[in-house]
Protein backbone atom coordinates (compact mmCIF):
# COMPACT_ATOMS: atom_id res chain seq x y z
CA UNK A 1 0.00 0.00 0.00
CA UNK A 2 1.14 3.54 -0.52
CA UNK A 3 2.12 5.93 2.22
CA UNK A 4 -1.03 7.59 3.52
CA UNK A 5 -2.16 9.96 6.22
CA UNK A 6 -3.61 8.45 9.39
CA UNK A 7 -7.41 8.22 9.47
CA UNK A 8 -10.37 5.97 10.13
CA UNK A 9 -10.97 4.67 6.56
CA UNK A 10 -7.29 3.73 6.35
CA UNK A 11 -7.60 2.02 9.74
CA UNK A 12 -10.47 -0.11 8.42
CA UNK A 13 -8.32 -1.15 5.41
CA UNK A 14 -5.39 -1.92 7.69
CA UNK A 15 -7.57 -4.07 9.94
CA UNK A 16 -8.70 -6.03 6.88
CA UNK A 17 -5.06 -6.53 5.85
CA UNK A 18 -4.20 -7.74 9.36
CA UNK A 19 -7.12 -10.14 9.64
CA UNK A 20 -5.59 -13.62 9.99
CA UNK A 21 -2.05 -12.20 10.04
CA UNK A 22 0.42 -10.81 12.57
CA UNK A 23 1.31 -7.13 12.68
CA UNK A 24 4.98 -6.19 12.64
CA UNK A 25 5.21 -2.56 13.72
CA UNK A 26 8.28 -0.49 12.83
CA UNK A 27 8.50 2.99 14.31
CA UNK A 28 10.55 5.94 13.08
CA UNK A 29 11.08 8.63 15.71
CA UNK A 30 10.03 9.10 19.31
CA UNK A 31 6.52 10.30 18.42
CA UNK A 32 5.90 7.23 16.30
CA UNK A 33 7.39 4.88 18.88
CA UNK A 34 5.09 6.12 21.62
CA UNK A 35 2.13 5.43 19.33
CA UNK A 36 3.62 2.09 18.25
CA UNK A 37 3.77 0.90 21.85
CA UNK A 38 0.11 1.78 22.21
CA UNK A 39 -0.81 0.11 18.90
CA UNK A 40 0.85 -3.14 19.96
CA UNK A 41 -0.99 -3.07 23.30
CA UNK A 42 -4.33 -2.24 21.64
CA UNK A 43 -3.96 -5.09 19.13
CA UNK A 44 -3.17 -7.44 22.03
CA UNK A 45 -6.02 -6.31 24.27
CA UNK A 46 -8.78 -5.22 21.89
CA UNK A 47 -8.33 -7.61 18.97
CA UNK A 48 -6.78 -10.41 21.08
CA UNK A 49 -3.88 -10.94 18.63
CA UNK A 50 -0.10 -10.88 19.00
CA UNK A 51 1.96 -8.08 17.46
CA UNK A 52 5.67 -7.36 17.14
CA UNK A 53 7.30 -3.95 17.64
CA UNK A 54 10.75 -2.59 16.77
CA UNK A 55 12.18 0.92 16.44
CA UNK A 56 14.53 2.48 13.92
CA UNK A 57 17.50 2.65 13.83
CA UNK A 58 17.97 -0.30 16.22
CA UNK A 59 15.80 -2.69 14.18
CA UNK A 60 18.30 -2.45 11.33
CA UNK A 61 20.92 -4.21 13.46
CA UNK A 62 18.99 -7.44 14.01
CA UNK A 63 15.37 -7.48 12.85
CA UNK A 64 16.34 -6.64 9.28
CA UNK A 65 18.35 -9.86 9.02
CA UNK A 66 15.63 -12.00 10.60
CA UNK A 67 13.07 -11.21 7.90
CA UNK A 68 14.26 -13.76 5.39
CA UNK A 69 11.15 -15.90 5.18
CA UNK A 70 10.22 -18.71 2.84
CA UNK A 71 7.27 -17.95 0.57
CA UNK A 72 4.70 -19.81 2.65
CA UNK A 73 5.56 -17.74 5.75
CA UNK A 74 5.55 -14.35 4.05
CA UNK A 75 1.77 -14.22 3.87
CA UNK A 76 1.47 -14.47 7.67
CA UNK A 77 2.83 -10.98 8.44
CA UNK A 78 1.93 -7.37 7.62
CA UNK A 79 4.50 -4.64 8.15
CA UNK A 80 3.19 -1.34 9.50
CA UNK A 81 5.69 1.52 9.35
CA UNK A 82 4.73 4.40 11.64
CA UNK A 83 6.54 7.68 11.03
CA UNK A 84 6.64 10.66 13.35
CA UNK A 85 6.31 14.22 12.18
CA UNK A 86 8.44 16.39 9.99
CA UNK A 87 11.25 15.50 7.70
CA UNK A 88 13.71 13.37 9.61
CA UNK A 89 16.46 13.39 6.97
CA UNK A 90 18.76 10.45 7.58
CA UNK A 91 16.07 8.50 9.46
CA UNK A 92 13.68 8.88 6.51
CA UNK A 93 16.37 7.58 4.15
CA UNK A 94 16.99 4.64 6.52
CA UNK A 95 13.27 3.78 6.64
CA UNK A 96 12.96 3.95 2.85
CA UNK A 97 16.06 1.80 2.29
CA UNK A 98 14.91 -0.77 4.86
CA UNK A 99 11.46 -0.90 3.29
CA UNK A 100 13.06 -1.68 -0.07
CA UNK A 101 15.21 -4.42 1.47
CA UNK A 102 12.14 -5.99 3.09
CA UNK A 103 9.93 -5.79 0.01
CA UNK A 104 8.53 -9.24 -0.71
CA UNK A 105 8.92 -10.48 2.87
CA UNK A 106 5.40 -9.51 3.96
CA UNK A 107 1.87 -10.01 2.72
CA UNK A 108 1.66 -6.22 2.69
CA UNK A 109 3.66 -3.19 3.80
CA UNK A 110 1.70 -0.13 4.94
CA UNK A 111 3.26 3.23 5.77
CA UNK A 112 1.45 5.56 8.15
CA UNK A 113 2.57 9.15 8.74
CA UNK A 114 1.67 11.23 11.75
CA UNK A 115 -0.40 14.35 11.08
CA UNK A 116 -0.34 17.67 12.87
CA UNK A 117 1.90 20.63 13.47
CA UNK A 118 2.71 19.89 17.13
CA UNK A 119 4.21 16.77 18.70
CA UNK A 120 1.11 15.91 20.74
CA UNK A 121 -1.15 16.24 17.70
CA UNK A 122 1.15 13.97 15.68
CA UNK A 123 1.28 11.35 18.44
CA UNK A 124 -2.48 11.44 18.87
CA UNK A 125 -3.08 11.06 15.11
CA UNK A 126 -1.16 7.79 15.21
CA UNK A 127 -2.80 6.70 18.48
CA UNK A 128 -6.25 7.32 17.00
CA UNK A 129 -5.30 5.35 13.89
CA UNK A 130 -4.09 2.43 16.03
CA UNK A 131 -7.16 2.45 18.25
CA UNK A 132 -9.41 2.33 15.19
CA UNK A 133 -7.33 -0.50 13.67
CA UNK A 134 -7.57 -2.58 16.85
CA UNK A 135 -11.34 -2.12 17.17
CA UNK A 136 -12.01 -2.85 13.49
CA UNK A 137 -9.83 -5.97 13.74
CA UNK A 138 -11.71 -7.08 16.86
CA UNK A 139 -14.95 -6.69 14.92
CA UNK A 140 -13.60 -8.69 11.96
CA UNK A 141 -12.50 -11.44 14.36
CA UNK A 142 -15.83 -11.42 16.18
CA UNK A 143 -14.26 -10.72 19.56
CA UNK A 144 -15.38 -8.28 22.25
CA UNK A 145 -12.57 -5.73 22.73
CA UNK A 146 -13.51 -4.97 26.35
CA UNK A 147 -12.89 -8.10 28.46
CA UNK A 148 -9.31 -9.09 29.22
CA UNK A 149 -10.00 -12.47 30.81
CA UNK A 150 -6.39 -13.64 30.99
CA UNK A 151 -5.32 -10.49 32.82
CA UNK A 152 -8.20 -10.94 35.27
CA UNK A 153 -7.23 -14.59 35.84
CA UNK A 154 -3.58 -13.60 36.32
CA UNK A 155 -4.53 -10.99 38.92
CA UNK A 156 -6.67 -13.56 40.71
CA UNK A 157 -3.84 -16.12 40.69
CA UNK A 158 -1.40 -13.58 42.07
CA UNK A 159 -3.84 -12.40 44.74
CA UNK A 160 -4.32 -15.96 46.01
CA UNK A 161 -0.66 -16.92 46.02
CA UNK A 162 2.06 -16.65 48.67
CA UNK A 163 3.17 -13.13 49.44
CA UNK A 164 -0.06 -11.61 48.12
Amino acid sequence: ASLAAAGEPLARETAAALHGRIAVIHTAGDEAHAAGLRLKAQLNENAKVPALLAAYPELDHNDLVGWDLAGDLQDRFVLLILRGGGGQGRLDRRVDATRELLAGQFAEIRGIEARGTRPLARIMSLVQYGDFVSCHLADLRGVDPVPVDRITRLKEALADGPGA
Side-chain angles (χ1 to χ4, degrees), residues 27-67:
T27 60
D30 292 340
E31 295 168 1
H33 195 65
L37 287 166
R38 164 106 178 171
L39 173 56
K40 180 185 181 307
Q42 294 298 85
L43 289 170
N44 296 158
E45 289 191 20
N46 292 343
K48 317 298 190 254
V49 295
L52 304 171
L53 174 69
Y56 289 98
E58 182 60 30
L59 71 87
D60 280 337
H61 297 288
N62 297 310
D63 289 48
L64 178 63
V65 178
W67 291 105

Side-chain angles (χ1 to χ4, degrees), residues 7-9 29 43 67 75 81 98 121 134 145 151 159-160:
E8 199 273 336
L43 289 170
W67 291 105
D75 193 50
I81 303 171
T98 301
S134 70
I151 294 173
D160 293 339

Side-chain angles (χ1 to χ4, degrees), residues 15-145:
L18 288 175
H19 189 50
R21 297 186 174 107
I22 297 172
V24 177
I25 306 161
H26 285 181
T27 60
D30 292 340
E31 295 168 1
H33 195 65
L37 287 166
R38 164 106 178 171
L39 173 56
K40 180 185 181 307
Q42 294 298 85
L43 289 170
N44 296 158
E45 289 191 20
N46 292 343
K48 317 298 190 254
V49 295
L52 304 171
L53 174 69
Y56 289 98
E58 182 60 30
L59 71 87
D60 280 337
H61 297 288
N62 297 310
D63 289 48
L64 178 63
V65 178
W67 291 105
D68 187 17
L69 302 175
D72 60 328
L73 293 176
Q74 293 170 357
D75 193 50
R76 295 183 185 179
F77 299 93
V78 172
L79 177 59
L80 304 177
I81 303 171
L82 304 184
R83 293 188 193 224
Q88 300 182 65
R90 185 172 173 81
L91 182 58
D92 285 338
R93 289 192 306 276
R94 176 182 290 275
V95 172
D96 293 340
T98 301
R99 183 179 178 149
E100 287 300 314
L101 289 168
L102 293 175
Q105 288 298 301
F106 296 89
E108 189 171 334
I109 298 176
R110 297 173 84 61
I112 312 303
E113 282 200 38
R115 294 188 309 184
T117 57
R118 297 183 161 230
L120 182 58
R122 290 189 295 268
I123 292 168
M124 292 308 296
S125 74
L126 292 174
V127 166
Q128 181 182 35
Y129 161 79
D131 287 359
F132 280 139
V133 168
S134 70
C135 289
H136 286 305
L137 184 55
D139 184 52
L140 288 171
R141 297 191 68 239
V143 299
D144 184 344

Side-chain angles (χ1 to χ4, degrees), residues 11 13 28 33 150 162:
E13 293 171 13
H33 195 65
R150 286 188 177 163

